[in-house]
Amino acid sequence: MPFQDGSMSRPTPSVLAVSGSLRERSYTRTALQYVLRAAAEAGAETTLLDLREVDLPLYDPDIGDQGDSREVTALMREADAVALGTPVYHGSYSGALKNFHDYCGWDEYEDTTVGLLATAGGGSYGSTLDHLRITVRGVHGWVLPHQVGIRNASSRFVDGTGPDEIDGRVFGEEKLQERVEKLGRMLVEYAFIDPDVSSPRTESDG
């Protein structure tokens, strides 16, 4: 369980955010940076893995390490908590994030605390978060109950400057910003939880 007070020495958690959007000015990436900033303010060391900036060829189980896969999976294994962010595509998560998932397995996810965030161009994101939750559970990750969905993402951010600005944007709604930042704080709070959710591993048919 996470430490409850200052009477015990708490190690510094490492929090990784994975942006599954390939858009140059991605709302998903901006939102994840708010998550990481809140995590850093809560005492974590933070890293952003922007899938737009790494070389991850389409996963092929018959080929060993491809592109940056060795470095990417090492980041996952070393993280105490991970935030997965994705745009909503056809009611699910992006192909870029799915390909990243295919490179990762039990060694990367087992008993890792995971937070979920989805940005939708329209009004629906529920199935996307459900699909992510199911796939993370399948490799024994522990998903936070608190998750974030952002409807009509292009209208939830406004151009701006000031202390809250990230990527030249600020949230237009304080409550939404609070939900996003809460995800970062919870990743830190539960980074060292021992969920004991593992079950016997099954062989893949693939």
Side-chain angles (χ1 to χ4, degrees):
M1 294 295 292
F3 296 115
Q4 298 298 316
D5 55 50
S7 63
M8 301 179 69
S9 177
R10 175 178 174 142
T12 300
S14 61
V15 177
L16 173 70
V18 182
S19 176
S21 173
L22 302 186
R23 185 186 294 270
E24 183 175 357
R25 293 203 71 215
S26 165
Y27 298 108
T28 302
R29 185 173 61 250
T30 299
L32 285 174
Q33 290 182 93
Y34 274 90
V35 171
L36 289 181
R37 186 166 68 184
E41 290 172 352
E45 295 179 351
T46 64
T47 303
L48 174 67
L49 173 58
D50 186 351
L51 296 182
R52 188 174 186 270
E53 297 180 352
V54 298
D55 175 25
L56 274 185
L58 194 63
Y59 177 72
D60 185 339
D62 289 331
I63 302 177
D65 296 327
Q66 297 189 83
D68 297 325
S69 62
R70 184 186 294 270
E71 293 79 5
V72 165
T73 53
L75 283 174
M76 283 291 296
R77 288 192 300 273
E78 293 164 4
D80 298 307
V82 177
L84 299 178
T86 182
V88 175
Y89 292 154
H90 306 306
S92 191
Y93 53 95
S94 70
L97 191 59
K98 176 61 170 67
N99 189 48
F100 164 81
H101 253 324
D102 289 344
Y103 277 97
C104 300
W106 286 292
D107 290 340
E108 287 71 38
Y109 275 108
E110 191 160 38
D111 295 336
T112 298
T113 300
V114 179
L116 306 179
L117 181 146
T119 58
S124 177
Y125 54 75
S127 59
T128 301
L129 293 172
D130 287 345
H131 295 169
L132 276 176
R133 186 173 293 271
I134 290 167
T135 57
V136 171
R137 249 181 20 214
V139 284
H140 302 167
W142 186 77
V143 185
L144 288 169
H146 179 73
Q147 58 188 13
V148 177
I150 301 176
R151 295 185 173 93
N152 303 309
S154 63
S155 65
R156 302 303 182 190
F157 295 93
V158 296
D159 293 339
T161 59
D164 285 342
E165 174 269 329
I166 291 180
D167 288 341
R169 297 166 169 159
V170 295
F171 273 103
E173 301 173 27
E174 184 177 350
K175 288 185 177 180
L176 181 56
Q177 180 174 337
E178 289 173 354
R179 281 187 56 78
V180 171
E181 292 173 341
K182 180 179 178 180
L183 186 63
R185 293 191 298 271
M186 291 191 72
L187 285 166
V188 175
E189 181 178 357
Y190 292 100
F192 299 115
I193 194 172
D194 183 7
D196 193 24
V197 296
S198 300
S199 58
R201 301 183 182 186
T202 58
E203 295 295 328
S204 171
D205 294 328

